[in-house]
């Protein structure tokens, strides 16, 4: 159900007040380099694009991925078109690595810095 993921995302956002570091122990620390490999091995890139930028089959999920708790919840029990990934297929540590990879992606330049978008 769409509401459940929205609720999970909202509570994850509330749990992470702006400017504050994520709560210690909330997520295993991820290895972005390994996450990059897993993103390809597990086929995430096929729908979300190699940089998580989104594509025809899936939305943008980087460079600012949703909070780890909501991220894991969605991958385990998606509510829409996405196939579920159980912990047998992708472990929690591997998801932490993928999350770290998405979080490590460079931010897009600010719209103000793009002349064509400021005419
Ligand atoms: C077959 C295509 C497909 C594959 C493969 C896939 N996804 Fe998705 N994903 C989607 C679609 C489509 C959505 C949008 C919601 C929906 O319809 O389920 C989505 C949504 C998500 C969301 C929620 C985004 C949000 O802001 O609500 C996350 C997180 C996510 N995917 C992560 C992953 C990860 C990590 C992998 C690899 C382990 C992966 N996806 C593999 C299609 C895919």
């Amino acid at each position: 159900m769409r509401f459940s993921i929205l609720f999970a995302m909202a509570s994850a956002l509330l749990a992470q007040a702006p400017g504050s570091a994520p709560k210690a122990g909330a997520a295993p620390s991820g290895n972005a380099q390994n996450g990059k490999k897993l993103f390809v091995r597990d086929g995430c890139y096929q729908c979300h694009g190699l940089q998580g930028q989104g594509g025809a089959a899936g939305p943008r999920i980087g460079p600012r991925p949703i909070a780890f708790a909501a991220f894991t919840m969605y991958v385990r029990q998606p509510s829409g078109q996405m196939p579920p990934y159980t912990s047998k297929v992708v472990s929690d540590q591997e998801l932490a690595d993928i999350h770290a990879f998405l979080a490590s992606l460079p931010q897009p330049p600010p719209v103000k810095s793009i002349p064509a978008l400021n005419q």
Side-chain angles (χ1 to χ4, degrees):
M1 198 168 130
R2 195 70 198 166
F3 179 75
S4 56
I5 179 65
L6 288 176
F7 181 76
M9 286 164 60
S11 30
L13 282 173
L14 288 174
Q16 212 178 320
S20 73
K23 280 188 196 136
S29 58
N31 176 329
Q33 277 303 108
N34 194 44
K36 185 176 184 177
K37 288 182 202 140
L38 294 170
F39 199 74
V40 173
R41 186 202 73 180
D42 296 330
C44 314
Y45 81 96
Q46 292 179 348
C47 297
H48 294 289
L50 275 172
Q51 303 294 314
Q53 78 274 23
R60 167 189 286 271
I61 53 171
R64 281 181 289 261
I66 55 176
F68 185 70
F71 183 85
T72 307
M73 198 179 293
Y74 198 79
V75 173
R76 300 274 182 244
Q77 287 178 305
S79 53
Q81 299 296 310
M82 180 167 143
Y85 287 77
T86 66
S87 55
K88 284 181 192 157
V89 179
V90 186
S91 70
D92 284 350
Q93 181 59 56
E94 288 173 333
L95 278 186
D97 291 354
I98 292 173
H99 192 266
F101 160 63
L102 293 170
S104 77
L105 292 166
Q107 305 285 327
V111 169
K112 279 188 192 147
S113 74
I114 304 170
L117 298 179
N118 285 286
Q119 284 165 3

